Amino acid sequence: MGSASKQSKQTSGNPGNRQSQADRQADRKARIAELREAEKRRDRRNKIIAFTAAGVLLAGMIGAGAWIALDAKHTKDEKAKAAKAPITGVKTYDNLSRNHVETKVTYPQTPPVGGDHNPVWLNCMGDVYDKPVQNENAVHSMEHGAVWVTYSSKASAADIKTLSTKVKATPYSFMSPYPDEKGTVTLSAWGTQLVVDSASDPRVDQFFTKYVQGPQTQEPGASCSQGAMQ
């Protein structure tokens, strides 16, 4: 009797147990499907964010590139405009000879702006000399398109420092003291000269812009290094 009752209980309990297990499996599958769907939604959302960010970045890069290009063009146009503008006080000299000589030359200008000169040019890649240099070598450098900055004892320490800084930052320029010149500071290029009283004179920058490798250059592209060092 007891055995029959026990068997009846076991029999009656099995269907319930099988149903409960099936429900758990169904719930597990549903949960997995839900997680996978959530992951897909998250992936789609991340892709949208990534594409949006990339689009914004690309637009920014395009905008920055366009601005840089426009700014470069504006700077180039401004330099071209400045190079064509006349500079008050500039004197020019024509018909200058260009013979190579190894003797001293008597020049009509002080400092000279051109004429016969030594076969070896003076280094002029932003070189600053603390002692006077040979005219004949310096004139050869100007033939290559260099601007020569000279100064007398009238120049202040501040003038010399300002000019030195500018020259050092400017290839095809060089600087040296010139005790015999009458002015304070003289800027010379081939056939061209300007005298100023101070390094702060705005015409200094104008002269550099116009005449460093400017239209007066007799030998465009010629070297300003590997020459004489004084």
Side-chain angles (χ1 to χ4, degrees):
M1 186 77 171
S3 176
S5 175
K6 183 177 180 180
Q7 183 177 3
S8 176
K9 287 180 180 180
Q10 288 176 347
T11 302
S12 62
N14 285 339
N17 289 339
R18 286 197 299 272
Q19 184 66 36
S20 177
Q21 184 176 2
D23 288 343
R24 285 196 298 272
Q25 289 178 347
D27 289 343
R28 183 172 178 274
K29 289 180 179 180
R31 179 57 179 163
I32 291 174
E34 183 179 349
L35 290 173
R36 287 178 177 173
E37 186 61 30
E39 185 176 0
K40 290 180 181 179
R41 290 196 299 270
R42 184 169 60 252
D43 288 342
R44 287 195 295 269
R45 184 172 64 252
N46 289 341
K47 287 180 180 179
I48 292 172
I49 293 173
F51 285 139
T52 302
V56 172
L57 180 60
L58 180 60
M61 291 173 65
I62 293 173
W67 183 88
I68 290 172
L70 289 173
D71 185 62
K73 184 178 184 304
H74 176 73
T75 301
K76 183 178 180 180
D77 291 344
E78 287 296 311
K79 286 185 177 180
K81 182 179 177 181
K84 294 180 180 179
I87 302 174
T88 303
V90 167
K91 294 182 179 180
T92 58
Y93 305 87
D94 299 322
N95 302 318
L96 300 171
S97 60
R98 295 174 52 200
N99 300 311
H100 284 180
V101 298
E102 299 199 17
T103 58
K104 285 288 184 180
V105 179
T106 300
Y107 295 102
Q109 301 86 26
T110 306
V113 296
D116 294 348
H117 50 270
N118 192 278
V120 181
W121 59 89
L122 190 68
N123 283 349
C124 45
M125 290 298 285
D127 295 270
V128 175
Y129 301 96
D130 57 6
K131 294 180 181 179
V133 299
Q134 294 293 330
N135 285 332
E136 293 77 14
N137 300 107
V139 169
H140 195 157
S141 297
M142 290 190 290
E143 185 182 41
H144 290 190
V147 164
W148 184 15
V149 179
T150 56
Y151 58 93
S152 68
S153 59
K154 299 176 186 177
S156 67
D159 285 331
I160 296 171
K161 181 179 180 181
T162 298
L163 293 168
S164 296
T165 299
K166 185 168 187 62
V167 167
K168 288 176 181 178
T170 309
Y172 285 89
S173 73
F174 62 108
M175 175 177 168
S176 67
Y178 206 101
D180 296 337
E181 70 176 67
K182 294 181 179 180
T184 303
V185 174
T186 303
L187 307 174
S188 302
W190 184 272
T192 311
Q193 197 165 74
L194 173 67
V195 179
V196 297
D197 295 327
S198 169
S200 61
D201 192 311
R203 292 176 296 171
V204 173
D205 287 341
Q206 294 171 10
F207 195 94
F208 268 70
T209 297
K210 186 167 187 174
Y211 294 111
V212 170
Q213 283 283 277
Q216 85 293 340
T217 303
Q218 300 298 301
E219 296 182 1
S223 176
C224 231
S225 60
Q226 297 181 343
M229 298 184 64
Q230 299 180 356

